[in-house]
Amino acid sequence: MMSRIKQLVGIACASACMVGCSDSFLEPDPLSLYEPTETFSTVAGLDAALASADKALRAYWTNTEAIDLMLPLMSEYLFSDLTVAGKTDDQLAFCDIKERFTPSDGWYNFDQNRLVIFWGETYNGIKYANTVISYIDKVEGLDEETKNEYLGRAYFHRAFRYMNLCFQFGDVPFVSKIIDSPKLDYKSTKREAIIERLVQDMEFAVEHVPDQSDMTYIGMINKGACRQLLIKCYLANGDFQKAKEQADILIEQSDYALMENTFGTFSNPNPNTWNITDNVIWDLHQGMNKAIAANKEAILVLVNRYGTDSGIRTRTMRNLVPRWNATEISTPDNMRAVENYALNSSNYNNTMDFNRAFGRGQAVVRPTYFAENSLWYVNGVNDETDLRHNTEVGNWVRMEDLKVNHVGSAYYGQNISYSHTDESGNTQILCSDTIRCWFDWPHYKTWSESPEDDTESATQYNGSGYQDFYCYRLAETYLLRAEAKYYLGDETAVDDVNIIRRRANCSQLYTSVDIDDIVDERARELYMEEWRFTELSRISYCLALSGKPDNEGNVYDKDLLYENSFWFHRITLYNNYYNKYDINGANIRGRKYTMGSHNINWPIPQSAIDANRLGTLSQNYGYDGYDPNVEKWETWEEAVADEE
């Protein structure tokens, strides 16, 4: 049976994706791929297809390919208000996005992005789901309840992928089944039509998929996850009241609860160098606590354990932490300020072992000034008690917290600094690369154990990232409900935001909220959990549907978001790289950082367009090949009928 599944759903490609692959794998899988007409005749076949879908879902958080850099999720963040590319020593750094991201360019570079995953592997995920949907009636002996459970889980996987496609690419081909003959004439289907179908599918899934407590293992698609996705589908469909009602059920009637006290296993990785005071935010984001029964906040956890078949090293510390041990950070007496000494080195000092405290950062992605600083101001006040931005408990690290540990420096044991002024008043700049080597970061989100690196002679603690990941948790549900309430004109939206802030021990609470406040709180709470760009794109669409304004009074047209959108409002207002000097971007260290308003819709890959040689896919505005006269399916029913 497994060999048949490999033929049918391309599981071999998924496996290659998880363990490393060649460039040839990364060509997007053409929609016209012929699928053999073999039948899944057993429950084991359905289980294998859903297991492939589960594994592919986890890959958005864990796929690092062969050299362990840049997760797909981090690539997605490059299109947001919160991060930009950080590798200043790489001329291919993906920063001039306005010019470089085209139908045929900018899709893939080992060090710089995994954007290709969001087309080819997303359609592979749809294929796994459609395998179950297409073949389930051929499996003998399934009772109606079991059949509907399988269908519901498959609908979740398909809807999850299509929601993301709709808000990354816009109008895309809607594929509802496994085809039994070659098809080379797909058309794009309008986004709103696809969303209508997703609503129906997720209503079915919520009715028929069991709760997590009734599932066989952690990480299977459960009722809570289906309800969370249905909330987003309702929002995207303009059904704001229905979205609120589903959030009410998930928050008040589904046995989930925000974690407000310390729980689970407390990990204090290197207290001699960087001490953690046990707190709920730290516990909530440690890998060993995400999937335990005591964690009532977790809705859907993606299991990724060291030493198991599911374990994939993600190296979050390597990707998201600054390059603190670089020669670009020096002492006033011109020595490298911070070294990563091995445990068996005579120079090793366990009170300044920043290597094992923080990991050997490479800053593949770096935060914006907004993400580091101004985001944390509420009511005009820097909320210093917010546990998510707090150095006192150890959750947040500032560069100045590191100390000179270079043996031989006269400044040994002193805190590092960006500049030094001598007794004569002369100022010396001590960091020559502030993009890659000098920024603050959320330690509670980046820390992960690295058993493979923890040896006596190791000088590079890369941070292998063997930990579980959240796909959905209840904190986001509160913020989705706040969003729905904002569109409905319900002033109690502020209560849902403040619940999240109280849990984080914030001293500053909102008295009212607009959509920017809600999106700000998403940034504080869901950094490197939510798909930031995709959510901003979705919210841009929902905000336009609602007719409500942003914090500057702008109201948007859903059909003209490529010209003016809430997403681009956030880019120009808060991303200090893409908006550094003018709308065309900054020239920083010999490279441009740019983003265009049209980039709210990513280009349809040219390889997919070429493979569809008997039909025409609709290219997005702003990219080569755009033609507003290309015919699209107006309804999902037309797209489905065309598959026959």
Side-chain angles (χ1 to χ4, degrees):
M1 175 59 73
M2 183 55 69
S3 62
R4 293 164 59 196
I5 293 167
K6 286 184 180 180
Q7 285 182 323
L8 224 88
V9 300
I11 193 172
C13 288
S15 298
C17 172
M18 302 304 288
V19 300
C21 54
S22 65
D23 289 355
S24 61
F25 159 70
L26 296 161
E27 292 299 320
D29 191 23
L31 295 174
S32 56
L33 183 67
Y34 172 71
E35 296 294 347
T37 56
E38 295 190 42
T39 304
F40 281 75
S41 58
T42 68
V43 171
L46 299 180
D47 287 337
L50 283 174
S52 295
D54 290 343
K55 188 175 183 180
L57 177 63
R58 189 174 68 247
Y60 292 114
W61 282 261
T62 62
N63 183 317
T64 55
E65 315 274 341
I67 59 173
D68 309 307
L69 289 173
M70 182 64 81
L71 304 177
L73 182 67
M74 296 171 190
S75 302
E76 209 260 5
Y77 268 71
L78 298 179
F79 291 79
S80 79
D81 48 354
L82 301 182
T83 73
V84 293
K87 289 192 71 180
T88 50
D89 64 344
D90 192 332
Q91 289 304 309
L92 294 176
F94 195 57
C95 48
D96 187 4
I97 293 175
K98 182 179 179 182
E99 299 299 325
R100 281 191 57 199
F101 199 27
T102 72
S104 56
D105 188 30
W107 282 100
Y108 183 81
N109 173 277
F110 268 121
D111 285 3
Q112 299 308 332
N113 73 62
R114 294 286 182 275
L115 293 175
V116 71
I117 300 298
F118 294 108
W119 181 269
E121 284 308 289
T122 296
Y123 270 107
N124 275 341
I126 291 167
K127 187 163 57 180
Y128 307 145
N130 281 342
T131 299
V132 175
I133 295 166
S134 296
Y135 288 97
I136 194 166
D137 286 334
K138 302 181 187 299
V139 178
E140 296 181 0
L142 278 186
D143 61 76
E144 196 68 16
E145 181 180 357
T146 303
K147 174 183 174 181
N148 289 339
E149 176 187 339
Y150 276 105
L151 278 174
R153 289 166 60 199
Y155 284 151
F156 173 92
H157 278 294
R158 190 170 72 181
F160 185 93
R161 270 69 168 197
Y162 268 117
M163 274 290 285
N164 296 325
L165 286 171
C166 282
F167 293 108
Q168 290 168 339
F169 296 93
D171 302 334
V172 297
F174 182 70
V175 184
S176 72
K177 59 191 285 187
I178 295 296
I179 60 175
D180 55 13
S181 60
K183 182 171 175 59
L184 305 172
D185 61 347
Y186 279 98
K187 294 179 184 177
S188 301
T189 300
K190 287 196 171 180
R191 169 165 54 189
E192 52 265 41
I194 295 175
I195 292 168
E196 287 178 7
R197 175 57 188 263
L198 303 187
V199 166
Q200 295 180 28
D201 289 347
M202 292 316 301
E203 288 174 337
F204 179 95
V206 166
E207 181 179 355
H208 294 289
V209 174
D211 289 310
Q212 178 65 69
S213 58
D214 298 321
M215 308 297 277
T216 12
Y217 64 84
I218 298 293
M220 292 177 70
I221 304 307
N222 57 61
K223 187 183 293 290
C226 292
R227 199 179 301 279
Q228 186 94 322
L229 183 52
L230 177 58
I231 293 168
K232 295 188 181 188
C233 290
Y234 276 145
L235 288 170
N237 204 41
D239 298 325
F240 305 133
Q241 181 62 34
K242 289 182 178 179
K244 176 193 172 297
E245 290 167 358
Q246 290 298 316
D248 289 342
I249 294 171
L250 200 50
I251 291 168
E252 299 165 9
Q253 303 173 32
S254 300
D255 199 32
Y256 296 105
L258 290 181
M259 301 305 295
E260 298 185 11
N261 300 300
T262 56
F263 71 99
T265 301
F266 172 55
S267 169
N268 196 352
N270 198 331
N272 292 318
T273 298
W274 186 258
N275 188 49
I276 307 296
T277 301
D278 195 7
N279 64 88
V280 66
I281 295 298
W282 179 265
D283 289 344
L284 187 65
H285 292 285
Q286 298 316 293
M288 73 287 289
N289 293 334
K290 292 180 180 179
I292 62 175
N295 187 350
K296 297 297 185 182
E297 186 166 335
I299 296 174
L300 180 60
V301 177
L302 307 172
V303 179
N304 187 56
R305 307 283 175 83
Y306 175 68
T308 69
D309 290 341
S310 66
I312 306 295
R313 58 185 184 184
T314 56
R315 296 195 171 176
T316 51
M317 294 192 285
R318 182 176 172 86
N319 285 314
L320 297 171
V321 171
R323 196 165 178 244
W324 49 261
N325 73 317
T327 56
E328 286 84 356
I329 303 176
S330 62
T331 63
D333 52 357
N334 296 317
M335 298 182 182
R336 178 155 61 181
V338 191
E339 299 281 359
N340 50 344
Y341 293 119
L343 293 175
N344 58 10
S345 169
S346 61
N347 295 324
Y348 178 78
N349 184 331
N350 72 355
T351 67
M352 291 186 286
D353 183 2
F354 301 106
N355 190 25
R356 284 164 184 77
F358 304 135
R360 181 176 171 264
Q362 290 297 308
V364 180
V365 176
R366 68 145 294 143
T368 58
Y369 180 86
F370 170 71
E372 291 180 79
N373 296 286
S374 48
L375 172 65
W376 302 96
Y377 281 74
V378 174
N379 302 326
V381 176
N382 182 11
D383 197 334
E384 296 181 350
T385 66
D386 189 333
L387 289 172
R388 300 163 301 185
H389 195 239
N390 190 303
T391 58
E392 294 299 317
V393 299
N395 288 350
W396 187 271
V397 184
R398 295 182 172 88
M399 287 302 297
E400 293 86 351
D401 295 325
L402 278 68
K403 296 180 180 180
V404 175
N405 69 355
H406 187 108
V407 173
S409 172
Y411 295 86
Y412 185 83
Q414 296 184 25
N415 292 78
I416 67 172
S417 60
Y418 170 71
S419 63
H420 174 73
T421 302
D422 63 22
E423 295 178 354
S424 302
N426 299 314
T427 298
Q428 176 185 4
I429 301 300
L430 301 178
C431 179
S432 61
D433 185 352
T434 56
I435 294 177
R436 191 176 188 186
C437 302
W438 197 275
F439 57 83
D440 307 335
W441 75 94
H443 182 45
Y444 69 98
K445 283 289 183 79
T446 62
W447 164 256
S448 60
E449 290 187 284
S450 189
E452 295 162 331
D453 300 330
D454 200 11
T455 65
E456 284 289 312
S457 60
T459 60
Q460 298 183 12
Y461 194 88
N462 288 312
S464 294
Y466 293 104
Q467 61 171 313
D468 299 342
F469 290 83
Y470 292 118
C471 181
Y472 292 146
R473 59 186 174 93
L474 195 66
E476 185 185 13
T477 316
Y478 277 98
L479 296 174
L480 288 170
R481 186 167 72 174
E483 183 187 341
K485 288 179 178 179
Y486 176 74
Y487 301 144
L488 292 167
D490 183 341
E491 295 181 357
T492 65
V494 68
D495 298 333
D496 287 328
V497 178
N498 282 338
I499 285 170
I500 303 303
R501 295 191 60 74
R502 287 191 182 94
R503 190 269 293 280
N505 196 40
C506 296
S507 59
Q508 296 297 315
L509 301 178
Y510 288 104
T511 56
S512 63
V513 291
D514 57 30
I515 193 63
D516 282 87
D517 297 325
I518 295 167
V519 169
D520 284 352
E521 198 62 32
R522 290 187 69 98
R524 300 180 191 109
E525 182 66 22
L526 300 172
Y527 182 69
M528 289 296 159
E529 290 183 63
E530 67 168 338
W531 294 23
R532 182 66 177 179
F533 164 74
T534 305
E535 287 298 312
L536 286 177
S537 178
R538 178 192 61 76
I539 292 169
S540 297
Y541 186 81
C542 296
L543 186 64
L545 287 176
S546 75
K548 296 288 185 178
D550 62 25
N551 66 349
E552 294 186 329
N554 300 312
V555 178
Y556 301 98
D557 183 335
K558 75 175 181 65
D559 296 320
L560 296 174
L561 294 178
Y562 56 80
E563 292 182 353
N564 187 28
S565 67
F566 176 71
W567 165 76
F568 202 57
H569 150 82
R570 298 283 302 191
I571 292 293
T572 55
L573 198 62
Y574 301 123
N575 193 305
N576 61 300
Y577 284 79
Y578 299 139
N579 71 359
K580 185 75 173 181
Y581 302 122
D582 57 52
I583 207 63
N584 292 315
N587 191 307
I588 303 171
R589 292 182 64 88
R591 67 194 66 204
K592 292 173 68 178
Y593 282 77
T594 66
M595 187 71 74
S597 61
H598 69 284
N599 291 132
I600 191 171
N601 297 319
W602 295 352
I604 306 300
Q606 192 63 44
S607 56
I609 292 173
D610 293 343
N612 194 55
R613 61 179 182 271
L614 299 183
T616 305
L617 301 184
S618 176
Q619 184 56 272
N620 285 317
Y621 175 88
Y623 303 104
D624 289 343
Y626 168 71
D627 180 353
N629 298 313
V630 170
E631 185 180 6
K632 306 174 189 178
W633 297 124
E634 298 284 337
T635 68
W636 64 262
E637 290 94 343
E638 291 175 299
V640 170
D642 184 63
E643 293 179 290
E644 297 297 333

